[in-house]
Short mmCIF file of all heavy atoms in Angstrom, two decimals:
data_model
loop_
_atom_site.label_atom_id
_atom_site.label_comp_id
_atom_site.label_asym_id
_atom_site.label_seq_id
_atom_site.Cartn_x
_atom_site.Cartn_y
_atom_site.Cartn_z
N TYR A 1 166.26 85.40 110.26
CA TYR A 1 165.16 84.37 110.04
C TYR A 1 165.82 82.99 110.28
O TYR A 1 166.89 82.69 109.73
CB TYR A 1 164.65 84.53 108.65
CG TYR A 1 163.90 85.82 108.49
CD1 TYR A 1 164.59 86.91 108.00
CD2 TYR A 1 162.56 85.91 108.76
CE1 TYR A 1 163.90 88.16 107.80
CE2 TYR A 1 161.91 87.00 108.50
CZ TYR A 1 162.57 88.18 108.10
OH TYR A 1 161.79 89.40 107.97
N PHE A 2 165.14 82.12 110.96
CA PHE A 2 165.52 80.73 111.27
C PHE A 2 164.54 79.75 110.72
O PHE A 2 163.38 79.99 110.79
CB PHE A 2 165.64 80.63 112.80
CG PHE A 2 166.76 81.40 113.40
CD1 PHE A 2 166.53 82.76 113.72
CD2 PHE A 2 167.99 80.88 113.75
CE1 PHE A 2 167.53 83.47 114.28
CE2 PHE A 2 168.96 81.60 114.33
CZ PHE A 2 168.77 82.88 114.67
N ALA A 3 165.09 78.65 110.29
CA ALA A 3 164.16 77.58 109.83
C ALA A 3 163.51 76.97 111.08
O ALA A 3 164.11 76.93 112.20
CB ALA A 3 164.96 76.52 109.17
N ARG A 4 162.24 76.46 111.04
CA ARG A 4 161.60 75.95 112.16
C ARG A 4 161.98 74.49 112.35
O ARG A 4 162.22 73.76 111.41
CB ARG A 4 160.07 75.93 111.83
CG ARG A 4 159.25 75.81 113.03
CD ARG A 4 157.73 75.90 112.65
NE ARG A 4 157.26 77.11 112.11
CZ ARG A 4 156.97 78.19 112.82
NH1 ARG A 4 157.04 78.19 114.13
NH2 ARG A 4 156.59 79.28 112.28
N ARG A 5 162.16 74.09 113.67
CA ARG A 5 162.51 72.73 113.95
C ARG A 5 161.72 72.31 115.16
O ARG A 5 161.01 73.23 115.72
CB ARG A 5 164.06 72.70 114.46
CG ARG A 5 165.08 73.01 113.31
CD ARG A 5 165.15 71.88 112.30
NE ARG A 5 166.09 72.12 111.26
CZ ARG A 5 165.74 72.59 110.15
NH1 ARG A 5 164.58 72.77 109.71
NH2 ARG A 5 166.73 72.80 109.18
N GLN A 6 161.71 71.07 115.60
CA GLN A 6 161.10 70.66 116.82
C GLN A 6 161.91 71.18 117.95
O GLN A 6 163.11 71.28 117.97
CB GLN A 6 161.11 69.09 116.87
CG GLN A 6 160.20 68.55 117.93
CD GLN A 6 160.02 67.07 117.89
OE1 GLN A 6 160.45 66.39 116.95
NE2 GLN A 6 159.29 66.56 118.86
N GLY A 7 161.15 71.75 118.93
CA GLY A 7 161.84 72.54 119.96
C GLY A 7 162.59 71.97 121.00
O GLY A 7 163.80 72.20 121.21
N PHE A 8 162.02 71.09 121.89
CA PHE A 8 162.71 70.38 122.93
C PHE A 8 163.07 71.41 124.02
O PHE A 8 163.83 71.05 124.99
CB PHE A 8 163.88 69.67 122.54
CG PHE A 8 163.65 68.54 121.47
CD1 PHE A 8 164.03 68.79 120.15
CD2 PHE A 8 163.03 67.32 121.79
CE1 PHE A 8 163.75 67.84 119.19
CE2 PHE A 8 162.79 66.43 120.91
CZ PHE A 8 163.13 66.56 119.56
N THR A 9 162.64 72.60 124.00
CA THR A 9 163.03 73.59 124.93
C THR A 9 161.88 74.30 125.65
O THR A 9 162.17 75.13 126.59
CB THR A 9 163.96 74.73 124.35
OG1 THR A 9 163.24 75.31 123.19
CG2 THR A 9 165.30 74.16 123.85
N SER A 10 160.70 74.15 125.11
CA SER A 10 159.43 74.83 125.77
C SER A 10 158.40 73.73 126.10
O SER A 10 158.58 72.56 125.62
CB SER A 10 158.95 75.85 124.77
OG SER A 10 158.44 75.16 123.66
N VAL A 11 157.53 74.10 126.86
CA VAL A 11 156.42 73.17 127.35
C VAL A 11 155.19 73.80 126.88
O VAL A 11 154.60 74.68 127.65
CB VAL A 11 156.46 72.91 128.73
CG1 VAL A 11 155.32 71.91 129.21
CG2 VAL A 11 157.86 72.30 129.23
N PRO A 12 154.54 73.37 125.77
CA PRO A 12 153.27 73.91 125.32
C PRO A 12 152.18 73.46 126.31
O PRO A 12 152.30 72.51 127.07
CB PRO A 12 152.95 73.35 124.05
CG PRO A 12 154.03 72.33 123.73
CD PRO A 12 155.06 72.41 124.76
N SER A 13 151.14 74.29 126.43
CA SER A 13 150.09 73.96 127.50
C SER A 13 149.27 72.76 127.11
O SER A 13 148.60 72.23 128.00
CB SER A 13 149.17 75.19 127.61
OG SER A 13 148.58 75.56 126.28
N GLN A 14 149.36 72.29 125.89
CA GLN A 14 148.56 71.07 125.53
C GLN A 14 149.37 70.28 124.44
O GLN A 14 150.19 70.92 123.69
CB GLN A 14 147.24 71.41 124.98
CG GLN A 14 147.31 72.31 123.84
CD GLN A 14 145.84 72.51 123.27
OE1 GLN A 14 145.36 71.53 122.56
NE2 GLN A 14 145.23 73.64 123.49
N GLY A 15 149.23 69.05 124.27
CA GLY A 15 149.61 68.31 123.22
C GLY A 15 151.16 67.93 123.18
O GLY A 15 151.86 68.01 124.13
N GLY A 16 151.50 67.38 121.97
CA GLY A 16 152.81 66.82 121.83
C GLY A 16 154.08 67.86 121.54
O GLY A 16 154.43 68.59 122.40
N SER A 17 154.50 67.81 120.44
CA SER A 17 155.80 68.44 120.04
C SER A 17 155.69 70.00 120.16
O SER A 17 154.75 70.63 120.00
CB SER A 17 156.23 68.12 118.54
OG SER A 17 155.11 68.44 117.77
N SER A 18 156.87 70.50 120.58
CA SER A 18 156.98 71.98 120.70
C SER A 18 157.72 72.59 119.53
O SER A 18 158.37 71.77 118.77
CB SER A 18 157.83 72.22 122.01
OG SER A 18 159.11 71.77 121.95
N LEU A 19 157.57 73.80 119.29
CA LEU A 19 158.18 74.54 118.18
C LEU A 19 159.56 75.09 118.68
O LEU A 19 159.65 75.67 119.64
CB LEU A 19 157.33 75.62 117.58
CG LEU A 19 156.01 75.07 117.02
CD1 LEU A 19 155.21 76.24 116.53
CD2 LEU A 19 156.26 74.17 115.83
N GLY A 20 160.54 75.01 117.75
CA GLY A 20 161.83 75.55 117.94
C GLY A 20 162.43 76.17 116.64
O GLY A 20 161.69 76.34 115.66
N MET A 21 163.67 76.46 116.66
CA MET A 21 164.30 76.99 115.43
C MET A 21 165.62 76.28 115.26
O MET A 21 166.31 75.80 116.20
CB MET A 21 164.48 78.50 115.54
CG MET A 21 165.20 79.03 116.66
SD MET A 21 164.96 80.78 116.73
CE MET A 21 166.27 81.21 117.82
N ALA A 22 166.20 76.44 114.03
CA ALA A 22 167.44 75.75 113.71
C ALA A 22 168.56 76.62 114.45
O ALA A 22 168.42 77.69 114.97
CB ALA A 22 167.76 76.02 112.20
N GLN A 23 169.76 75.91 114.56
CA GLN A 23 170.86 76.57 115.28
C GLN A 23 171.28 77.88 114.62
O GLN A 23 171.77 78.77 115.33
CB GLN A 23 172.06 75.52 115.31
CG GLN A 23 171.78 74.28 116.09
CD GLN A 23 172.05 74.58 117.62
OE1 GLN A 23 172.72 75.56 118.00
NE2 GLN A 23 171.34 73.77 118.44
N ARG A 24 171.33 77.88 113.36
CA ARG A 24 171.83 79.14 112.68
C ARG A 24 170.78 79.68 111.74
O ARG A 24 169.90 79.06 111.20
CB ARG A 24 172.98 78.71 111.78
CG ARG A 24 174.19 78.12 112.62
CD ARG A 24 175.51 78.01 111.79
NE ARG A 24 175.89 79.18 111.06
CZ ARG A 24 176.65 80.12 111.56
NH1 ARG A 24 176.92 80.16 112.90
NH2 ARG A 24 176.96 81.13 110.87
N HIS A 25 170.72 80.98 111.59
CA HIS A 25 169.76 81.68 110.78
C HIS A 25 170.03 81.40 109.27
O HIS A 25 171.22 81.11 108.94
CB HIS A 25 169.84 83.24 110.96
CG HIS A 25 171.14 83.81 110.66
ND1 HIS A 25 172.19 83.93 111.59
CD2 HIS A 25 171.55 84.51 109.52
CE1 HIS A 25 173.14 84.56 110.97
NE2 HIS A 25 172.76 84.96 109.74
N ASN A 26 169.02 81.43 108.55
CA ASN A 26 169.13 81.14 107.05
C ASN A 26 169.04 82.36 106.19
O ASN A 26 169.35 82.37 105.02
CB ASN A 26 168.17 80.06 106.54
CG ASN A 26 166.74 80.40 106.91
OD1 ASN A 26 166.40 81.52 107.23
ND2 ASN A 26 165.91 79.47 106.75
N SER A 27 168.63 83.45 106.79
CA SER A 27 168.63 84.76 106.12
C SER A 27 168.58 85.91 107.07
O SER A 27 168.27 85.69 108.22
CB SER A 27 167.51 84.87 105.10
OG SER A 27 166.36 84.79 105.72
N VAL A 28 168.96 87.08 106.60
CA VAL A 28 169.07 88.28 107.37
C VAL A 28 168.35 89.36 106.51
O VAL A 28 168.64 89.44 105.35
CB VAL A 28 170.44 88.70 107.67
CG1 VAL A 28 170.51 90.02 108.51
CG2 VAL A 28 171.16 87.73 108.49
N ARG A 29 167.61 90.25 107.14
CA ARG A 29 167.05 91.35 106.43
C ARG A 29 167.23 92.58 107.40
O ARG A 29 166.81 92.57 108.49
CB ARG A 29 165.51 91.07 106.14
CG ARG A 29 164.92 92.17 105.28
CD ARG A 29 163.96 91.70 104.32
NE ARG A 29 163.46 92.87 103.53
CZ ARG A 29 162.22 92.98 103.19
NH1 ARG A 29 161.32 92.15 103.58
NH2 ARG A 29 161.79 94.05 102.63
N ARG A 30 167.47 93.78 106.72
CA ARG A 30 167.58 94.96 107.50
C ARG A 30 166.46 95.91 107.00
O ARG A 30 166.22 96.03 105.80
CB ARG A 30 168.90 95.63 107.20
CG ARG A 30 170.06 94.84 107.94
CD ARG A 30 171.43 95.49 107.89
NE ARG A 30 172.37 94.80 108.66
CZ ARG A 30 172.91 93.58 108.32
NH1 ARG A 30 172.60 93.01 107.20
NH2 ARG A 30 173.69 92.98 109.13
N TYR A 31 165.88 96.66 107.95
CA TYR A 31 164.80 97.55 107.71
C TYR A 31 165.08 98.88 108.39
O TYR A 31 165.79 98.93 109.32
CB TYR A 31 163.50 97.05 108.33
CG TYR A 31 162.98 95.79 107.90
CD1 TYR A 31 163.33 94.50 108.62
CD2 TYR A 31 161.97 95.65 106.83
CE1 TYR A 31 162.79 93.35 108.22
CE2 TYR A 31 161.59 94.41 106.41
CZ TYR A 31 161.92 93.29 107.12
OH TYR A 31 161.44 92.06 106.77
N THR A 32 164.48 99.99 107.80
CA THR A 32 164.54 101.20 108.55
C THR A 32 163.36 101.04 109.58
O THR A 32 162.48 100.12 109.43
CB THR A 32 164.15 102.46 107.59
OG1 THR A 32 162.85 102.24 107.04
CG2 THR A 32 165.22 102.50 106.56
N LEU A 33 163.32 101.95 110.52
CA LEU A 33 162.17 101.69 111.57
C LEU A 33 160.90 101.89 110.86
O LEU A 33 159.93 101.04 111.18
CB LEU A 33 162.41 102.76 112.63
CG LEU A 33 163.58 102.66 113.58
CD1 LEU A 33 163.67 103.79 114.50
CD2 LEU A 33 163.48 101.46 114.34
N CYS A 34 160.74 102.76 109.91
CA CYS A 34 159.40 102.92 109.18
C CYS A 34 159.08 101.62 108.41
O CYS A 34 157.89 101.16 108.40
CB CYS A 34 159.51 104.13 108.32
SG CYS A 34 157.91 104.49 107.57
N GLU A 35 160.02 101.14 107.63
CA GLU A 35 159.82 99.87 106.89
C GLU A 35 159.44 98.80 107.79
O GLU A 35 158.54 97.88 107.46
CB GLU A 35 161.10 99.49 106.18
CG GLU A 35 161.42 100.39 104.96
CD GLU A 35 162.85 100.10 104.32
OE1 GLU A 35 163.54 99.37 105.03
OE2 GLU A 35 163.02 100.56 103.14
N PHE A 36 160.06 98.65 108.94
CA PHE A 36 159.85 97.56 109.86
C PHE A 36 158.33 97.62 110.45
O PHE A 36 157.67 96.75 110.60
CB PHE A 36 160.82 97.49 111.01
CG PHE A 36 160.62 96.35 111.98
CD1 PHE A 36 160.99 95.16 111.54
CD2 PHE A 36 160.24 96.52 113.22
CE1 PHE A 36 160.81 93.99 112.38
CE2 PHE A 36 160.05 95.49 114.13
CZ PHE A 36 160.27 94.21 113.63
N ALA A 37 158.03 98.85 110.77
CA ALA A 37 156.67 99.10 111.29
C ALA A 37 155.62 98.69 110.25
O ALA A 37 154.62 98.04 110.59
CB ALA A 37 156.47 100.54 111.69
N GLN A 38 155.90 99.03 108.99
CA GLN A 38 154.87 98.69 107.92
C GLN A 38 154.96 97.18 107.75
O GLN A 38 153.80 96.62 107.56
CB GLN A 38 155.33 99.40 106.61
CG GLN A 38 155.11 100.94 106.59
CD GLN A 38 155.73 101.55 105.45
OE1 GLN A 38 156.61 100.93 104.66
NE2 GLN A 38 155.29 102.77 105.21
N GLU A 39 156.06 96.46 107.73
CA GLU A 39 156.13 95.05 107.65
C GLU A 39 155.38 94.38 108.72
O GLU A 39 154.66 93.46 108.51
CB GLU A 39 157.61 94.63 107.64
CG GLU A 39 157.86 93.22 107.39
CD GLU A 39 157.69 92.74 105.96
OE1 GLU A 39 157.69 93.46 105.02
OE2 GLU A 39 157.56 91.50 105.78
N GLN A 40 155.55 94.85 109.95
CA GLN A 40 154.83 94.28 111.13
C GLN A 40 153.27 94.49 110.93
O GLN A 40 152.54 93.64 111.15
CB GLN A 40 155.32 94.94 112.43
CG GLN A 40 156.60 94.57 112.92
CD GLN A 40 156.66 93.16 113.35
OE1 GLN A 40 156.89 92.22 112.48
NE2 GLN A 40 156.46 92.86 114.52
#
């Protein structure tokens, strides 16, 4: 999981700022395949 930042790397189809993410992740979570499917 990464904190959201201003992107500067993509071009949205409309409007101003783009979305990006921080350089480093702020948390990690491990799931089994079943848990991940349920989370999704």
Side-chain angles (χ1 to χ4, degrees):
Y1 294 91
F2 293 80
R4 197 177 299 278
R5 298 284 181 261
Q6 192 169 354
F8 303 103
T9 56
S10 63
V11 181
S13 57
Q14 58 173 285
S17 53
S18 61
L19 297 176
M21 59 188 192
Q23 291 281 337
R24 298 188 54 82
H25 62 276
N26 54 15
S27 65
V28 178
R29 184 147 181 222
R30 288 183 176 75
Y31 300 92
T32 65
L33 290 176
C34 186
E35 290 170 340
F36 184 71
Q38 290 171 344
E39 183 77 14
Q40 288 293 89

